[in-house]
Amino acid sequence: MVVERVEPTSAGVRIWACTTVKTARCPSCGVRSDRVHSRYDRKLDDAPVAGRPVVLRLRVRRFFCDDQGCALGTFVEQVDGLTVGHARRTLLSRTALERIGLMLAGRTGARLAAGLGLPASRSTLLRLVHALPDPPVGVVEVLGVDDFALRRGRRYATVLIDAVTHRRVDVLPDRRAATLTAWLRAHPGVRMVCPDGSATYAEAVRQGAPDAVQIGDRWHLWDNLVAAVEKTVTAHSTCWYVGPERRTKTAEERTLQRHAAVHGLLDQGVGLLECARRLGVSLNTVKRYTRIPSAEQLRRPPPYRRSMVDPYRDHLRRRLAQQPDVPVTHLFAEIRALGYPGSANLLVRYLKQGRAEPDRVPPSPRRLVTWLTSKPENLPEHHRRHLDDLITSCPPMTTLAQRIREFAVILTHRRGQDLNAWIDAVLADDLPALHRFVHGLRKDNDAVVAGLTLPHTNGPTEGVVNKIKLLKRQTYGRASFALLRKRILLDQ
């Protein structure tokens, strides 16, 4: 190709060019021809120069096809790497618009393209994105499966990735077992599957790839353990919590009354279903109260959060020890001089709750769970000492801390062969919440052992789901499934 002249215009730059080759190859039969039928100018939008739009006026020739059996009588020559048939843009310009469309979709992409010297409408960008071919699926040996919300609480889809290379493989329009089963049967070769813990996906894998090994996700295992630990910590709060008493609220009073009513009916020989009918509660609620022998285990420590008064707590304790009847106004003036930014009402409420009285600020159940499930070396020294004092004062908490550390070793060192021994030890303890956790592990024992043994995990799939949330926000959640699917598969 030879550039004949360049013309600056008010809209940008216009380049005149022509081809110089003597022959051209027929796109249908591949036979070369040198017989020219006619000439005409093609108008092509090219990549910008210094931010200014470029229009290429390319003079091309139409050739006769010398193959008598070819379906095409004539054809137009193409410049490799520059033009394709019927296109109004060069390949470089089209590729740039495709990337912008994949990254930003419609309106936002159109604004960026115009600023870069590639004017295009939002419809053009979307049309270019939809025209892109899907990447080949290929053979996936380790498959990651997870769902994401198209419309939270109403519509969900499924994303599939290669758990080894983290390549996005496919996106399914729903999360039904039949859909995933059909995909697995259409793409044999999957040896391992890392699902998100859903029973639906587990059943789909059993039907679509019965020989594949299901790998339980370690993060979900730890998260389920933390939930069981929180229930245990809350149930033993009367044992480890040393702090200001909580005023019994209406909801807690109703819970204690319901617990007494359930156990009163059970002592009379009334069945669980009849208890639920008489009390007007669900059967699961009755079962939960049945498993709790003492109403004291239903009491919760006060859910006090951090307060602006906390930095001045030691000063308040010293002053109250020296002068128990010191007026609150004096205390307020003293801590205000120390930099207290809050109000007097907040200080009064803090003192009435008794939060300045104990030697240590007792942690909330959730904070204590965080301490228990963290590596001891990662905790500050004063938190570690406080944790040791709390679990030492309560034997069930001592056992709970030991079981947590044992499971952490199994999980981090991938010692799945030790899981059954750990489950037996937990079942021998008086920790009902952990019992329910280990019963769940035994229901899916093979997947759990594989998750605690093999290196693969569902973490990369969760990362892709996080990226999908960004793609959804860029289109304000209004993109069609077809467009979202293209962006998920190609925007990598």
Side-chain angles (χ1 to χ4, degrees):
M1 190 181 72
V2 174
V3 176
E4 296 178 340
R5 66 181 186 272
V6 178
E7 296 180 351
T9 65
S10 59
V13 179
R14 183 181 295 116
I15 300 176
W16 296 81
C18 64
T19 58
T20 59
V21 295
K22 301 298 183 181
T23 63
R25 188 183 301 276
C26 176
S28 178
C29 63
V31 175
R32 284 194 169 274
S33 174
D34 59 356
R35 292 193 302 133
V36 178
H37 174 276
S38 58
R39 293 174 174 83
Y40 71 96
D41 289 344
R42 292 185 65 178
K43 181 181 177 181
L44 301 167
D45 292 337
D46 199 5
V49 174
R52 301 181 65 183
V54 175
V55 176
L56 178 63
R57 300 299 295 265
L58 179 63
R59 182 168 296 172
V60 295
R61 295 163 293 179
R62 181 178 292 275
F63 288 85
F64 287 102
C65 184
D66 292 334
D67 187 355
Q68 299 296 327
C70 181
L72 297 179
T74 62
F75 63 91
V76 178
E77 63 179 338
Q78 304 294 338
V79 180
D80 292 339
L82 184 67
T83 67
V84 294
H86 309 288
R88 297 184 179 182
R89 290 182 174 81
T90 62
L91 288 177
L92 181 59
S93 174
R94 181 187 179 95
T95 302
L97 290 176
E98 289 171 349
R99 297 307 304 172
I100 292 174
L102 282 175
M103 294 295 293
L104 299 175
R107 288 183 174 86
T108 308
R111 290 195 295 268
L112 176 62
L116 295 176
L118 287 166
S121 68
R122 61 184 179 87
S123 299
T124 297
L125 289 178
L126 296 180
R127 184 169 61 250
L128 292 175
V129 171
H130 284 301
L132 291 172
D134 291 343
V137 174
V139 178
V140 182
E141 294 188 351
V142 184
L143 183 69
V145 183
D146 204 350
D147 63 347
F148 64 92
L150 294 174
R151 189 174 181 185
R152 183 177 295 276
R154 299 190 180 184
R155 291 181 57 207
Y156 289 83
T158 301
V159 61
L160 309 177
I161 75 164
D162 188 328
V164 177
T165 63
H166 302 177
R167 176 177 61 90
R168 300 161 205 175
V169 175
D170 206 346
V171 182
L172 307 182
D174 54 52
R175 57 178 180 181
R176 295 183 301 170
T179 305
L180 180 57
T181 299
W183 190 94
L184 290 171
R185 290 174 178 172
H187 301 84
V190 177
R191 298 189 301 106
M192 302 179 187
V193 181
C194 302
D196 68 342
S198 168
T200 301
Y201 289 149
E203 181 62 25
V205 174
R206 283 192 289 268
Q207 295 180 4
D211 297 331
V213 176
Q214 296 193 44
I215 303 175
D217 185 53
R218 292 188 288 276
W219 184 90
H220 285 92
L221 294 177
W222 185 256
D223 185 59
N224 293 338
L225 174 67
V226 170
V229 169
E230 185 172 357
K231 293 179 181 178
T232 304
V233 167
T234 305
H236 291 86
S237 59
T238 55
C239 177
W240 59 263
Y241 181 81
V242 179
E245 294 293 333
R246 177 184 181 181
R247 298 177 182 176
T248 303
K249 295 187 176 181
T250 305
E252 185 171 317
E253 291 178 351
R254 185 168 57 250
T255 299
L256 297 176
Q257 293 172 2
R258 188 172 292 170
H259 178 273
V262 168
H263 281 268
L265 292 175
L266 292 175
D267 293 340
Q268 299 174 16
V270 180
L272 298 179
L273 193 60
E274 180 63 18
C275 286
R277 188 188 65 80
R278 292 188 184 183
L279 299 176
V281 297
S282 67
L283 180 60
N284 287 335
T285 300
V286 175
K287 290 181 178 179
R288 179 164 60 88
Y289 287 146
T290 302
R291 290 191 294 264
I292 300 175
S294 173
E296 291 299 319
Q297 296 183 9
L298 294 173
R299 294 186 178 276
R300 302 292 182 260
Y304 295 141
R305 298 181 180 180
R306 292 183 179 179
S307 172
M308 287 188 289
V309 187
D310 287 340
Y312 313 97
R313 178 175 171 276
D314 292 339
H315 175 79
L316 295 174
R317 289 188 66 252
R318 286 195 302 268
R319 291 289 287 116
L320 291 173
Q322 297 170 0
Q323 186 179 353
D325 57 346
V326 58
V328 177
T329 54
H330 292 183
L331 295 175
F332 177 69
E334 292 173 5
I335 64 174
R336 175 59 69 90
L338 296 175
Y340 170 63
S343 65
N345 289 337
L346 182 61
L347 174 61
V348 171
R349 192 182 314 120
Y350 192 88
L351 296 174
K352 284 185 176 180
Q353 291 170 348
R355 298 172 65 178
E357 297 174 2
D359 295 335
R360 284 173 169 172
V361 179
S364 66
R366 185 162 295 182
R367 176 62 61 87
L368 182 54
V369 170
T370 302
W371 293 355
L372 286 168
T373 55
S374 298
K375 290 183 178 180
E377 57 270 20
N378 292 343
L379 292 174
E381 181 63 27
H382 62 284
H383 285 171
R384 194 181 311 135
R385 291 196 304 268
H386 196 177
L387 173 63
D388 292 340
D389 293 341
L390 291 177
I391 63 178
T392 302
S393 62
C394 181
M397 294 292 294
T398 305
T399 305
L400 177 65
Q402 179 183 354
R403 298 295 175 243
I404 293 172
R405 291 164 185 166
E406 291 172 353
F407 188 82
V409 171
I410 295 174
L411 183 114
T412 55
H413 293 81
R414 297 176 189 166
R415 294 168 54 180
Q417 67 275 10
D418 299 336
L419 179 64
N420 289 330
W422 181 81
I423 290 177
D424 293 338
V426 170
L427 293 176
D429 300 328
D430 185 19
L431 301 171
L434 280 190
H435 292 177
R436 293 191 290 275
F437 169 69
V438 299
H439 287 323
L441 296 183
R442 281 191 167 174
K443 288 182 181 179
D444 203 11
N445 184 74
D446 293 340
V448 173
V449 172
L452 296 175
T453 306
L454 300 175
H456 306 294
T457 178
N458 200 44
T461 318
E462 297 284 356
V464 172
V465 171
N466 193 42
K467 177 65 178 294
I468 292 173
K469 294 176 182 178
L470 171 63
L471 298 179
K472 286 174 56 184
R473 291 188 182 101
Q474 287 179 342
T475 54
Y476 299 93
R478 294 186 300 215
S480 65
F481 173 75
L483 175 61
L484 184 61
R485 181 176 181 274
K486 286 287 186 182
R487 298 186 68 196
I488 293 172
L489 294 178
L490 298 175
D491 184 15
Q492 302 196 47

